[in-house]
């Protein structure tokens, strides 16, 4: 047989293998469009928790739709960090069609030392419990079998007197990066430490972070340029819960930045916050008014354009922040006005707004915009910046404003179901 004939025969055989159903390798049947509960899982879990393949494998007896308009139940999952480094997940079950008046909310709190797989399992278990309320009203109900093993594995919630650490959580981190080629080299060092204690009545946070970044560029065989940026800072925060809407606290910050011309910067002062919505709803919506006032001490590396080597100034700031996550999408934004009290003309106004909209079936639109009017740059060094300093971003530059906008959309069409999981050659 000629080589070309062998190749052709091989291609024909391969095509036949593709065309023949591989019944011996078929996966376990999953739900289809004939009576199974239709679920739209809307996830914002963070830390790898939006692993849709995992949830489809763990709960294969419902239909997962790719658009909320095709679902009977819209599950909206949000999360926020806990004081011990874990996460609290909130699952809102929003009924649609015949379940329009059936809503529910479940929460699950995971520990900081759990692997992602364990976190996913706990969330999937809670998701499964929430869906049973709806499945019980469908033709699938007779096929559901409930097994309870809490008597063997039940746990009692922790109490303060049971915790030898008294709710304190400590974290250490470090990062080293090296990148070298024939004409350039760079390395970056980062490290940090934090200590937190969070309860419903009091939140205490403390952290130290530092970074050192050095880059070398050979511009010719005999000349080179070196760029060095270093910074460190220490922050502390104390917050008292006054009510379900009011909070008060004090904060301090100590820092150094070669880029910002700050050899030493220290600020300290109290803060007061009011949230229109109860803090218990923080994963779904927040509308906060925040006011801070205090003193700022600056010791500059180089003399500034105002001929200052160091100064201590009173400063205050007012912020309005909004974050809302609903079945139609998400909106978020803030307005901030800050000002040095010794000279009211030294101020800054910043606005940011963004939103994710589900316009109609399959079409989503994302919009972001930000703007800052800058009148408070007291730390700009005197004299002109060199070309190297500008291109390598080695020092701060005078600027009266900055802004940015972004627009994006996605459109998905085709089958309304997304049940099947097939990871073969996934993004090789």
């Amino acid at each position: 047989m000629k080589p070309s004939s062998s190749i052709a025969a091989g291609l024909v055989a391969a095509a036949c293998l593709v065309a023949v159903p591989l019944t011996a390798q078929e996966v376990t049947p999953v739900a289809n469009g004939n009576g199974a509960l239709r679920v739209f899982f809307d996830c914002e879990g963070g830390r790898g928790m939006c692993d849709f393949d995992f949830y489809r494998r763990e709960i294969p007896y419902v239909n997962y739709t790719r658009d909320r308009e095709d679902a009977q139940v819209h599950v909206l999952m949000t999360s926020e960090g806990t004081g011990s480094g874990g996460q609290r997940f909130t699952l809102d079950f929003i009924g649609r069609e015949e379940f329009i008046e059936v809503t529910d909310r479940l929460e699950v709190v995971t520990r900081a030392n759990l692997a992602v797989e364990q976190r996913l399992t706990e969330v999937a278990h809670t998701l499964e419990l929430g869906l049973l309320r709806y499945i019980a009203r469908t033709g699938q109900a007779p096929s559901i079998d409930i097994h309870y093993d809490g008597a063997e594995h039940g746990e009692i919630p922790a109490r303060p007197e049971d915790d030898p650490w008294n709710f304190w959580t400590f974290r250490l981190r470090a990062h080293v990066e090296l990148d070298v080629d024939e004409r350039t080299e760079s390395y970056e060092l980062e490290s940090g430490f934090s200590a937190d204690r969070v309860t419903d009545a009091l939140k205490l946070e403390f952290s130290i972070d530092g970074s050192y970044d050095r880059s070398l560029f050979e511009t010719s065989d005999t000349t080179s340029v070196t760029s060095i940026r270093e910074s460190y800072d220490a922050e502390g925060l104390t917050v008292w819960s006054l009510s379900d809407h009011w909070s008060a606290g004090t904060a301090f910050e100590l820092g150094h930045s070669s880029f910002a011309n700050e050899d030493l910067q220290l600020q300290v002062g109290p803060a007061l916050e009011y949230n229109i919505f109860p803090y218990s709803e923080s994963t779904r919506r927040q509308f906060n008014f925040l006011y801070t006032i205090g003193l700022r001490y600056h010791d500059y590396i180089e003399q500034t354009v105002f001929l200052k080597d160091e100064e201590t100034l009173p400063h205050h700031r007012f912020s309005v922040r909004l974050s809302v996550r609903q079945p139609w999408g998400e909106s978020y934004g803030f307005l901030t006005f800050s000002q040095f009290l010794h000279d009211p003309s030294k101020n800054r106004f910043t606005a940011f707004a963004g939103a994710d909209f589900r316009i109609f079936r399959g079409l989503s639109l994302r919009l972001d915009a930000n703007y800052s009017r800058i009148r408070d740059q007291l730390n700009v060094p005197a004299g002109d910046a060199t070309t190297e300093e500008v291109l390598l971003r080695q020092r701060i530059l005078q600027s009266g404003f900055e802004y940015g906008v972004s627009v994006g959309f996605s459109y998905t069409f085709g089958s309304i179901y997304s049940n099947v999981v097939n990871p073969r050659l996934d993004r090789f």
Side-chain angles (χ1 to χ4, degrees):
M1 183 179 293
K2 297 180 180 180
S4 58
S5 300
S6 300
I7 294 174
L11 291 175
V12 171
C16 292
L17 287 173
V18 171
V20 175
L22 302 179
T23 55
Q25 300 180 16
E26 286 185 1
V27 298
T28 302
V30 296
N32 53 43
N34 299 321
L37 184 70
R38 303 190 306 277
V39 177
F40 176 65
F41 187 44
D42 191 359
C43 177
E44 191 182 81
R47 298 188 185 182
M49 296 305 297
C50 294
D51 188 339
F52 296 102
D53 287 351
F54 181 90
Y55 298 115
R56 287 195 288 257
R57 288 191 185 101
E58 291 297 304
I59 312 174
Y61 48 82
V62 300
N63 273 319
Y64 295 92
T65 66
R66 60 173 177 78
D67 194 283
R68 65 182 294 266
E69 299 298 328
D70 298 311
Q72 294 167 291
V73 182
H74 180 174
V75 181
L76 176 59
M77 186 175 88
T78 55
S79 70
E80 57 185 353
T82 65
S84 61
Q87 282 183 288
R88 182 179 71 178
F89 298 91
T90 302
L91 288 85
D92 286 286
F93 297 83
I94 305 166
R96 296 176 51 81
E97 297 182 1
E98 68 268 37
F99 302 120
I100 191 67
E101 296 182 357
V102 183
T103 61
D104 203 355
R105 169 177 289 188
L106 297 177
E107 292 184 352
V108 57
V109 179
T110 61
R111 300 193 306 273
N113 59 350
L114 287 183
V116 173
E117 180 81 7
Q118 293 173 300
R119 292 174 185 255
L120 287 167
T121 300
E122 292 192 10
V123 172
H125 176 67
T126 304
L127 173 61
E128 191 171 29
L129 290 176
L131 292 177
L132 286 178
R133 181 179 185 182
Y134 300 89
I135 295 174
R137 293 170 168 80
T138 69
Q140 288 182 285
S143 302
I144 299 297
D145 182 27
I146 299 176
H147 173 70
Y148 174 71
D149 58 359
E152 301 176 6
H153 305 290
E155 296 182 359
I156 300 174
R159 296 170 296 178
E161 57 267 27
D162 299 328
D163 186 359
W165 294 97
N166 194 25
F167 288 111
W168 279 99
T169 302
F170 304 93
R171 299 180 185 86
L172 285 170
R173 67 176 183 86
H175 171 78
V176 180
E177 182 175 339
L178 176 66
D179 189 7
V180 179
D181 63 28
E182 187 174 357
R183 303 299 295 269
T184 66
E185 66 178 55
S186 67
Y187 63 85
E188 181 179 356
L189 306 175
E190 292 184 356
S191 62
F193 167 79
S194 67
D196 305 323
R197 184 180 188 274
V198 180
T199 65
D200 289 334
L202 178 66
K203 178 168 71 173
L204 301 173
E205 295 182 351
F206 175 76
S207 65
I208 300 176
D209 293 282
S211 68
Y212 180 84
D213 190 347
R214 181 181 184 274
S215 299
L216 173 67
F217 305 90
E218 291 187 6
T219 56
S220 69
D221 292 336
T222 57
T223 61
S224 63
V225 177
T226 301
S227 172
I228 298 177
R229 291 180 60 174
E230 58 181 1
S231 67
Y232 65 79
D233 65 85
E235 299 180 357
L237 174 68
T238 303
V239 180
W240 293 273
S241 302
L242 304 181
S243 71
D244 206 20
H245 296 271
W246 285 97
S247 300
T250 60
F252 79 87
E253 181 177 350
L254 176 71
H256 163 86
S257 173
S258 59
F259 173 78
N261 191 34
E262 299 276 7
D263 194 32
L264 178 64
Q265 186 246 138
L266 172 65
Q267 51 183 313
V268 60
L272 185 66
E273 181 182 77
Y274 176 74
N275 190 356
I276 289 181
F277 303 115
Y279 284 104
S280 58
E281 302 178 9
S282 60
T283 60
R284 287 286 301 273
R285 55 181 185 172
Q286 294 190 60
F287 193 4
N288 301 331
F289 297 86
L290 174 66
Y291 180 74
T292 62
I293 187 169
L295 293 176
R296 286 190 175 186
Y297 169 74
H298 301 267
D299 183 8
Y300 302 111
I301 298 174
E302 300 179 33
Q303 191 175 73
T304 70
V305 292
F306 297 99
L307 307 180
K308 297 289 185 178
D309 294 308
E310 64 175 342
E311 54 188 339
T312 302
L313 304 170
H315 182 270
H316 72 157
R317 181 176 63 183
F318 178 74
S319 299
V320 180
R321 297 177 295 180
L322 173 67
S323 175
V324 179
R325 184 168 172 82
Q326 296 293 335
W328 52 260
E330 181 180 10
S331 62
Y332 39 85
F334 64 84
L335 299 173
T336 298
F337 177 78
S338 60
Q339 185 180 51
F340 285 98
L341 296 176
H342 78 291
D343 183 355
S345 66
K346 301 297 187 292
N347 57 66
R348 179 180 300 221
F349 172 76
T350 301
F352 173 84
D356 292 320
F357 297 102
R358 295 187 178 95
I359 305 301
F360 55 81
R361 186 189 303 271
L363 178 63
S364 297
L365 177 67
R366 181 183 181 93
L367 305 172
D368 286 315
N370 66 84
Y371 171 80
S372 292
R373 193 199 66 171
I374 305 171
R375 300 289 186 272
D376 62 349
Q377 288 183 296
L378 304 183
N379 57 331
V380 176
D384 296 330
T386 65
T387 301
E388 292 177 357
E389 290 175 327
V390 174
L391 295 178
L392 298 177
R393 294 185 59 80
Q394 290 182 308
R395 81 171 197 174
I396 191 170
L397 302 176
Q398 189 80 45
S399 176
F401 67 91
E402 62 181 13
Y403 65 87
V405 295
S406 67
V407 180
F409 75 92
S410 65
Y411 180 61
T412 307
F413 55 94
S415 172
I416 68 172
Y417 299 111
S418 56
N419 297 336
V420 179
V421 177
N422 189 342
R424 297 170 181 82
L425 293 180
D426 186 23
R427 297 185 182 277
F428 67 94

